[in-house]
Amino acid sequence: MSDKPLFVITGGSRGIGAAIARRAAMTHPVVILYKNDALAAQGVVDEIETNAGKAWAIRADMGDEHALLDAFRQIDELGRIGVLVNNAGITGGTSRVADLDSDNLAKVFSVNVIGAFIATREAVRRMSTERGGAGGVIVNMSSGASVLGAPNVWVHYAATKGAMDTMTIGLSKELAQEGIRVNAVRPGVIDTELHQQRTADSLARFASTIPLGRMGTADEVAEAVVWLASPAASYVTGCLMDVRGGL
């Protein structure tokens, strides 16, 4: 069992989640939750441990409450949660609202919103000083889509991220007296698999609208997340931090 508080990342096997795991492992033992790609998750764990860090990977479907509860029971055996990053999410594919499939829509909200709420609930039950915990930090992965709306592409996805923004603001106030800070990071166009769902022309047009003139990197997002989770941000809660190149 780890003596240091654990840094738990949902959807930590690739992209932004993996970058957060690698960066967080410089100061914390890391737990990665992943859904399917055990090989990728283990690869992140191996990389961390090769660099003298400590990490574990636990399989958990964010859309399955029972799987999440089992994952948190496994986390309890590893140590105390100090940080939860709600990073896991799906887009549900590109679609105009008029063409949305209701089952797919339900799945996107189940993973991106309900799953994040359940993971947060379990973390709060363990962190809250009112419940005997030692406090902690929650960082929600929102998106610039919550501000821009993602018309013609991802309005459904953007709506789930709008929910994460509201959750962040409300929960930060709810937990301020219980030793828990709650913040969110809102990435813009980041060079990961998520944005590769767009066509090359669409992505190029979108990237050209960014004031800084380029896509961001997963490492740049990870730096923001780890800072918000650190003592350096001890007076920061309820923050929706934009990491989107000025867009």
Side-chain angles (χ1 to χ4, degrees), residues 32-82:
I32 294 167
L33 300 189
Y34 70 96
K35 181 181 178 182
N36 290 320
D37 198 340
L39 188 61
Q42 189 58 47
V44 176
V45 169
D46 291 344
E47 182 180 350
I48 288 170
E49 297 195 335
T50 296
N51 290 294
K54 187 64 179 174
W56 299 267
I58 297 173
R59 185 170 186 170
D61 181 349
M62 293 297 293
D64 183 338
E65 180 176 5
H66 295 294
L68 273 174
L69 293 179
D70 182 62
F72 274 88
R73 283 190 288 268
Q74 293 181 62
I75 291 169
D76 289 340
E77 296 176 0
L78 301 175
R80 174 179 70 82
I81 300 176

Side-chain angles (χ1 to χ4, degrees), residues 13-16 37 40 89 91 154 190-198 203 215-216 218:
S13 65
R14 60 183 181 174
I16 290 173
D37 198 340
T91 66
W154 285 334
I190 308 299
D191 190 8
T192 65
E193 290 180 13
L194 185 149
H195 280 292
Q196 289 169 10
Q197 294 178 42
R198 293 172 176 265
L203 190 57
M215 291 190 288

Side-chain angles (χ1 to χ4, degrees), residues 2 32 83 98 101 110 129 143 159 190 222:
S2 174
I32 294 167
V83 180
D101 173 82
S110 176
T129 54
S143 170
I190 308 299

